[in-house]
């Protein structure tokens, strides 16, 4: 049966991306009916939306009575999913408070269908206490809220609040509607064997990238992790149908389609985000977490004192996130760690497996250009022995690993 989306477009510059969203959903065979708020009509026209949706485009409340014998209750319930994209701070505030003062908000109050909100706003509006409160309220009410992207904003500022790309929204819609995977979700990506979506119904938690540990307001301790392998794994898990939470350290990579991304800076923030994301069926800890942080990050920039003495940097150990999950009351059914090794790979990985309470350690052979490169040679060390995959693109490592995760989870949980 054709799946139906009611797309509510509120007034933000990102509204132009919603036209592409409609096109992508229509390509997947989803019927889209669009509703524009009054301010959205300043950014996209009912005409272009009408052409793309091949349907009437709804604007004001009285449209319903005058143009069609269709009430707002009916309109809000004919859909399988209601999507608000872009969702401005204003419409999110109305939704969180049950305000219904135009057609869009009336439909949102009248619907009994799942709702996906895709926020788009200025970074300060996104971080404002009122928006934080509204988002928390909406999530508590069961609304699915997509995490905005970070980057340059239309207003010239830089930060979080950009609407995710239409491909990412379409992937999230497909997941919520339980559509089968697209035939070619990402050109050139390897496909999964067996069922189309071997991780459907599973929650996969991934950490990726480095962490930055502040020394003072301008300096930090970091490492050269690019985040590519972790992002590829999150993307592969989403393609395999999983609900994916990606906790990412500071990296310059786009959010993979269908992935919920939480950006963090430090190891302690990463631990908090990981614990908040539990329960998960599988956790894949790919992040290169800094082993140490400064005992006390200085509030002011540290100055040289001219004495030539070593810098006064006291370091303390960071929490080991993988090891904490290994002993956690909500330990995922499958816990996978990564390790960078140059020698005695099996021996070192085996020791790490036991020490951290993981099920597998994926040992990277880092003698080549793995940090930042596009290929990887890995050895998967588990209680059952070692399996080696030589010189594969990071995407292929990710797909094979997710296939193995899916097979193992169905053997353990089903
Ligand atoms: N890890 C973690 N939290 C830390 C340190 C590491 O979760 N504070 C996780 C990493 O995400 C990875 C694994 O533990 O899954 C790597 O362990 P680690 O002991 O840091 O291995 P190496 O980087 O190989 O370092 P070393 O061999 O020096 O111990």
């Amino acid at each position: 049966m054709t799946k139906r989306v009611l797309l509510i477009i509120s007034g933000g510059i990102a509204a132009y991306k919603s036209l592409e969203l409609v096109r992508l959903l229509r390509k997947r065979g989803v019927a889209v009916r669009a509703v524009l708020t009054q301010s959205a009509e300043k950014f996209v026209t009912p005409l272009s939306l009408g052409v793309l949706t091949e349907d009437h485009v709804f604007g004001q409340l009285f449209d319903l009575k005058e143009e069609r014998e269709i009430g707002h209750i009916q309109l809000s319930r004919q859909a399988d999913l209601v999507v608000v994209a872009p969702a401005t701070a204003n419409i999110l505030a109305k939704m969180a408070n049950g305000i219904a003062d135009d057609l869009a908000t009336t439909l949102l109050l009248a619907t009994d269908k799942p709702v996906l909100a895709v926020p788009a706003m200025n970074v300060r509006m996104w971080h404002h206490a009122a928006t934080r409160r509204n988002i928390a309220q909406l999530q508590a009410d069961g609304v699915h809220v997509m995490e905005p992207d970070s980057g340059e904003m239309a207003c010239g500022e830089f930060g979080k609040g950009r609407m995710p790309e239409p491909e990412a929204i379409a992937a999230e819609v497909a997941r919520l509607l339980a559509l089968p995977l697209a035939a070619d979700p990402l050109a050139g990506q390897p496909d999964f064997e067996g069922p189309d979506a071997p991780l459907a119904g599973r929650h996969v938690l991934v950490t990726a990238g480095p962490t930055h540990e502040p020394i003072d307001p301008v300096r930090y301790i970091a490492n050269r992790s690019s985040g590519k392998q972790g992002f590829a794994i999150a993307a592969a898990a989403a393609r395999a149908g999983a609900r994916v939470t990606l906790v990412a350290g500071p990296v310059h990579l786009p959010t993979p389609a269908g992935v919920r991304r939480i950006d963090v800076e430090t190891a302690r923030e990463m631990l908090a985000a990981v614990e908040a994301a539990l329960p998960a069926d599988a956790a894949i800890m790919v992040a290169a977490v800094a082993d140490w942080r400064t005992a006390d990050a200085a509030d002011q920039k540290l100055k040289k004192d001219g004495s030539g003495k070593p810098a006064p940097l006291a370091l303390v150990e960071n929490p080991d996130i993988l090891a904490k999950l290994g002993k956690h009351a909500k330990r995922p059914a499958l816990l996978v760690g990564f390790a960078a090794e140059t020698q005695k790979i099996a021996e070192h990985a085996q020791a790490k497996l036991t020490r951290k309470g993981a099920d597998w350690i994926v040992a990277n052979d880092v003698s080549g250009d793995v940090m930042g490169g596009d290929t990887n040679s890995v050895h998967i060390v588990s209680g059952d022995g070692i399996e080696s995959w030589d010189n594969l693109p990071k995407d292929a490592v990710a797909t094979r690993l997710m296939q193995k995760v899916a097979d193992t989870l169905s053997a353990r949980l089903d």
Side-chain angles (χ1 to χ4, degrees):
M1 242 210 4
T2 306
K3 296 279 190 187
R4 299 180 163 278
V5 161
L6 180 69
L7 174 64
I8 293 176
I9 302 179
S10 65
I13 184 68
Y16 75 92
K17 290 190 190 171
S18 300
L19 295 176
E20 177 63 6
L21 174 64
V22 172
R23 204 185 60 76
L24 291 172
L25 292 176
R26 300 279 292 139
K27 219 167 90 184
R28 298 285 300 269
V30 175
V32 182
R33 183 164 261 186
V35 176
L36 284 167
T37 63
Q38 200 170 2
S39 49
E41 287 187 23
K42 300 204 171 69
F43 295 96
V44 288
T45 68
L47 180 63
S48 46
L49 265 171
V51 170
L52 286 169
T53 57
E54 294 180 89
D55 200 347
H56 179 79
V57 175
F58 295 86
Q60 306 307 312
L61 256 180
F62 56 78
D63 268 14
L64 296 179
K65 293 178 205 105
E66 289 187 6
E67 297 186 18
R68 289 206 168 185
E69 285 309 307
I70 174 172
H72 56 268
I73 301 286
Q74 220 182 330
L75 188 56
S76 72
R77 298 200 179 159
Q78 277 167 348
D80 298 293
L81 176 70
V82 180
V83 178
V84 191
T88 57
N90 184 50
I91 202 166
L92 289 168
K94 288 187 189 176
M95 287 166 74
N97 290 285
I99 294 173
D101 61 358
D102 62 4
L103 178 61
T105 47
T106 304
L107 294 176
L108 284 161
L109 198 59
T111 192
D112 58 353
K113 293 296 160 41
V115 176
L116 170 67
V118 190
M121 66 195 74
N122 168 275
V123 55
R124 287 180 210 287
M125 292 168 86
W126 173 250
H127 289 295
H128 194 283
T131 306
R132 305 284 85 234
R133 215 164 44 231
N134 291 333
I135 296 282
Q137 182 60 55
L138 287 167
Q139 285 171 331
D141 293 346
V143 172
H144 302 274
V145 181
M146 268 184 95
E147 199 72 13
D149 279 352
S150 296
E152 200 171 354
M153 327 216 96
C155 52
E157 281 190 271
F158 201 84
K160 197 164 191 165
R162 282 166 55 101
M163 183 157 102
E165 293 307 316
E167 290 77 9
I169 307 171
E172 186 62 7
V173 170
R175 192 181 69 75
L176 292 171
L177 289 175
L179 293 184
L181 280 192
D184 183 14
L186 286 175
Q189 297 292 313
D191 275 337
F192 291 95
E193 289 165 18
D196 253 2
L199 283 171
R202 310 283 194 212
H203 179 206
V204 175
L205 172 61
V206 181
T207 64
T211 62
H212 285 180
E213 309 296 332
I215 296 172
D216 64 20
V218 294
R219 304 182 180 96
Y220 56 82
I221 303 172
N223 61 61
R224 292 186 195 283
S225 165
S226 66
K228 283 183 190 170
Q229 183 66 79
F231 274 59
I233 285 172
R239 276 186 284 120
R243 177 163 73 85
V244 184
T245 306
L246 170 63
V247 180
V251 290
H252 296 282
L253 292 173
T255 308
V259 167
R260 182 169 79 103
R261 170 177 179 172
I262 298 162
D263 286 313
V264 297
E265 291 267 330
T266 66
R268 287 186 293 177
E269 285 169 13
M270 188 172 272
L271 173 63
V274 161
E275 287 190 308
L278 294 175
D281 298 295
I284 325 288
M285 307 280 101
V286 199
V289 184
D291 289 321
W292 294 280
R293 67 174 184 275
T294 50
D296 252 326
D299 292 337
Q300 304 297 330
K301 189 180 167 196
L302 298 177
K303 292 298 205 184
K304 297 185 285 287
D305 65 2
S307 69
K309 280 192 297 201
L313 259 193
L315 299 180
V316 293
E317 243 184 73
N318 263 329
D320 190 314
I321 303 168
L322 177 59
K324 280 207 184 281
L325 280 198
K327 302 197 285 259
H328 206 280
K330 294 187 197 164
R331 182 190 190 279
L334 185 63
L335 182 58
V336 180
F338 267 64
E341 306 289 357
T342 52
Q343 52 167 347
K344 294 194 191 155
I345 291 173
E347 207 176 303
H348 287 154
Q350 192 66 52
K352 227 162 261 182
L353 194 69
T354 323
R355 193 170 72 238
K356 303 203 181 200
D359 296 296
W360 310 338
I361 291 288
V362 181
N364 264 342
D365 191 338
V366 287
S367 29
D369 73 336
V370 169
M371 293 302 242
D374 290 322
T375 64
N376 225 348
S377 286
V378 302
H379 308 273
I380 299 178
V381 181
S382 70
D384 301 334
I386 303 188
E387 190 176 327
S388 294
W389 302 339
D390 265 342
N391 211 17
L392 286 179
K394 287 182 177 176
D395 285 336
V397 169
T399 307
R400 275 209 205 176
L401 190 65
M402 283 307 107
Q403 183 80 55
K404 194 172 159 72
V405 165
D407 295 344
T408 307
L409 283 181
S410 48
R412 285 192 187 176
L413 299 178
D414 297 341

